Amino acid sequence: MNKENWKKYYFNYQKTLANRYYIPLLGQLDISIEGKKILDVGCGDGGFISAFSELNSISTGLEIKDFNWEKDTNVNYIIGDIINNPDLINNQVFDIIILRDVIEHINKK
């Protein structure tokens, strides 16, 4: 699979994961998404957080490297290392913070 096909595949996989499992689980726990400010730390290519953005949430994806995200998305992307630069989110308050598949990347220096 070439790089572009892999990027599309992985984006869609992450979006499907959010839509099929995580968003329904939040609903079962009576956690509303609509209108909430959501931060996805370690958002990667943005597939996961894009599923939340389609539910009228105010969605932000934070990633340590630039994934060259699509410009026509409803997600605000921030590039940087939150561990060593917590000011990246400008002291914003979020209703939901997602840290999924990132623990192995956290290395406080």
Side-chain angles (χ1 to χ4, degrees):
M1 182 179 297
N2 69 33
K3 188 175 182 178
E4 191 59 34
N5 287 343
W6 171 252
K7 184 176 177 177
K8 281 184 180 180
Y9 167 81
Y10 196 68
F11 180 91
N12 288 326
Y13 164 75
Q14 294 294 322
K15 190 171 184 176
T16 299
L17 187 67
N19 281 322
R20 286 194 185 161
Y21 301 102
Y22 285 80
I23 291 170
L25 176 62
L26 291 171
Q28 290 171 8
L29 297 171
D30 290 327
I31 298 171
S32 173
I33 295 168
E34 188 170 340
K36 299 289 177 73
K37 289 183 74 177
I38 301 175
L39 173 65
D40 183 4
V41 176
C43 69
D45 62 8
F48 194 84
I49 191 65
S50 72
F52 287 85
S53 74
E54 292 175 353
L55 298 172
N56 297 319
S57 69
I58 303 160
S59 301
T60 301
L62 174 65
E63 179 57 51
I64 200 162
K65 72 176 208 172
D66 188 349
F67 273 74
N68 195 27
W69 299 278
E70 297 292 323
K71 302 299 182 219
D72 62 349
T73 181
N74 291 326
V75 177
N76 175 40
Y77 291 103
I78 300 171
I79 302 165
D81 180 351
I82 189 96
I83 297 296
N84 295 307
N85 188 5
D87 292 335
L88 283 171
I89 56 174
N90 298 318
N91 299 317
Q92 295 180 58
V93 174
F94 293 92
D95 300 301
I96 299 171
I97 298 175
I98 301 164
L99 290 124
R100 192 185 54 77
D101 295 339
V102 296
I103 193 73
E104 70 274 16
H105 300 289
I106 297 174
N107 182 15
K108 181 96 171 142
K109 294 178 183 168

